[in-house]
């Protein structure tokens, strides 16, 4: 996308999801185990919100219409999020949804890159 072109009316979505269970929540049917940052399949999804540049509208998705959210993400020409690759997409896949995002723009990833971080490096100070 040309950086000088407005995204309004384009097939671009921005999204964020919130989990049902946070890190440190006891795992069901376990006396000692707690959810960790690697337990994407145990976190669940409480809600997912999309801003759609094509319709200029927001939509909130819950359990009953989560497949519609996944379909919208998969059909978008560009999906924008914050830590979507490192977290949100993993939670969606862990919840059993099939993601086939064409192109994404992860704000956290590109923010870190702008501070000089390269793949494989330790995170820059203040960016973990």
């Amino acid at each position: 996308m040309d950086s000088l072109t407005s995204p309004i009316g384009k097939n671009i979505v921005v999204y964020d999801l919130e989990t049902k269970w946070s890190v440190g929540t006891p795992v069901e049917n376990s006396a000692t185990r707690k959810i960790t940052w690697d337990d994407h399949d145990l976190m669940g999804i409480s809600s997912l919100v999309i801003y759609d540049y094509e319709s200029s509208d927001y939509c909130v998705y819950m359990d009953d219409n989560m497949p519609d959210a996944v379909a919208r993400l998969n059909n978008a020409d560009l999906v924008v999020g914050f830590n979507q690759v490192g977290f949100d997409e993993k939670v969606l896949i862990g919840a059993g949804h099939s993601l086939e995002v064409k192109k994404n723009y992860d704000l956290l990833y590109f923010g870190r890159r702008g501070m000089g971080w390269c793949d494989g490096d330790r995170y820059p100070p203040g960016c973990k």
Side-chain angles (χ1 to χ4, degrees), residues 80-122:
V80 179
F82 185 87
N83 199 17
Q84 74 192 63
V85 175
F87 186 73
D88 293 355
E89 289 182 359
K90 291 178 180 179
V91 172
L92 281 162
I93 292 167
H97 298 288
S98 179
L99 277 181
E100 299 172 10
V101 172
K102 295 174 194 167
K103 185 176 181 182
N104 61 38
Y105 189 90
D106 190 320
L107 294 165
L108 178 62
Y109 175 83
F110 285 105
R112 287 175 173 165
R113 297 282 301 185
M115 294 181 67
W117 175 78
C118 296
D119 292 332
D121 288 351
R122 293 180 57 91

Side-chain angles (χ1 to χ4, degrees), residues 8-67:
I8 303 299
K10 302 245 170 50
N11 189 13
I12 299 170
V13 296
V14 180
Y15 85 103
D16 188 34
L17 69 77
E18 299 304 321
T19 61
K20 285 183 181 178
W21 311 111
S22 60
V23 170
T25 302
V27 173
E28 191 174 340
N29 300 324
S30 173
T32 58
R33 186 154 154 24
K34 295 184 178 182
I35 293 176
T36 70
W37 284 110
D38 294 322
D39 292 321
H40 303 106
D41 59 323
L42 299 176
M43 293 180 175
I45 302 168
S46 66
S47 63
L48 187 149
V49 178
I50 287 179
Y51 177 76
D52 190 327
Y53 276 100
E54 198 166 47
S55 65
S56 296
D57 203 7
Y58 290 91
C59 192
V60 177
Y61 298 90
M62 308 294 276
D63 287 335
D64 62 336
N65 62 351
M66 195 59 61

